[in-house]
Amino acid sequence: MNEQNELFFKFDQPLSVDDIAAYLSITDKKQIGFVQQKAEQILLKECGNKVYFRALVEASNICRSDCYYCGIRKFNKSVDRYQMEPEVIVGLAKQARDLNYASFVIQAGERQDAGFIDYIENVLCSIKEQTRCDKLPDGLGITLSVGEQTKETYQRFFNAGAHRYLLRVETTSPHLFSKLHPPEQTLESRINCLKLLRDVGFQVGTGVMIGLPGQKTEDLANDILFFQDLDIDMIGMGPFIPDPIAQGVGGMEEGVECPSPETRVRWTLLMTALTRIVLKDVNIAATTALQAIDPQAREQALRFGANVMMPLLTPQSVRKNYNLYPKKSMRDEASISFHKELEKRIHEQGREIGYGAWGDSLHACKRNKT
Ligand code: SAH
């Protein structure tokens, strides 16, 4: 048996950390193509060929957290802070519905004060009420991503109409996690939140950053097995993009470089494929951060097993203040021209767009028997 066959032989058995780490380490184009094909084959068999759109709105950049990698961390005093008016967000939700996107994502910086919780609850209720129509009797499907909260808060958000929640664990390596966050932010607390979200009834999404300084392929392999252990429904992960401003004072360890942009993109595509191969029927997003390194890579991720895309609807006037990392796209992804272009590129890859459907994670639907 030649080396290539030996390496790829085990795809139909449970993969170990060492297997996954070995697949992540490949650089040969042919071998990468083999992993890509296997992921695509599993995606088409388990989930079909539809790509689901979620319109993404970044509602506020006010944040109590101080994640060292993030451009809107509390420490960064050079950012103009904003909170979008609820009516503006509802207007964007209607615009998304009119584009026939049946799902909406609200992301924001992390706050636990009563004013913020009321604000999000109110926005959720308004979107639900105002996007109901004949085609969507339950309104838009809403995914929320506003960080760590108490179980009571998660329950309120669920009752107000959000039914999916994204909370990236960022890395499951305790060592790396502690390098990325101040001592009061812990990996245990994040994992606990993922469990609370599941208890409340959300479809739960998580993910990691790929190519962190000091991160090894074994760490990433463990991340995939963590997704499996926690029975996660949705995955959003992208390359780490160093931000010198964010990293500033009290930030990440100096002197440890992250891998090259090419490696971070390759690892992200391979992570997408291997997550599909291991988890099979979950939803996996082709994330925006990929685009910051390589304009083609977000769509390429669709060939590596991703089935969700999140066009950015945040208005340009505030988007410049939601720079989680440098070179974030400033394109108006709500425009008809962008939409048509994206649609064409997706069709060119033989994929359809799941217009008018929430596009829930099949994994969650099977677990909940819905
Ligand atoms: N407050 C929300 C949203 C966080 S921002 C929450 O806590 O869930 C969304 C994601 O952007 C983060 O989870 C992180 O994975 C990613 N991100 C932030 N800074 C980044 C950077 N420098 N490079 C790559 N991804 C980054």
Side-chain angles (χ1 to χ4, degrees), residues 119-131:
Y119 163 77
I120 294 292
E121 195 177 39
N122 167 29
V123 168
L124 292 170
C125 291
S126 307
I127 293 176
K128 276 293 181 192
E129 259 168 44
Q130 296 187 47
T131 57

Side-chain angles (χ1 to χ4, degrees), residues 60 62-63 65 67-72 107-111 144-148 165-170 190 207-210 212 236-243 246-247 264 289 322-326:
S60 169
I62 305 173
C63 193
S65 295
C67 312
Y68 299 151
Y69 44 88
C70 180
I72 61 164
Q107 196 187 84
E110 195 165 313
R111 282 167 55 194
L144 196 57
S145 179
V146 296
E148 294 185 30
Y165 202 103
L166 289 175
L167 179 69
R168 287 193 183 177
V169 65
E170 313 298 358
R190 216 147 251 248
V208 292
M209 287 185 290
I210 298 165
L212 293 161
M237 55 193 171
F240 168 65
I241 300 171
D243 182 342
Q247 284 168 230
R264 281 177 279 138
Y322 203 89
N323 276 335
L324 304 174
Y325 45 79

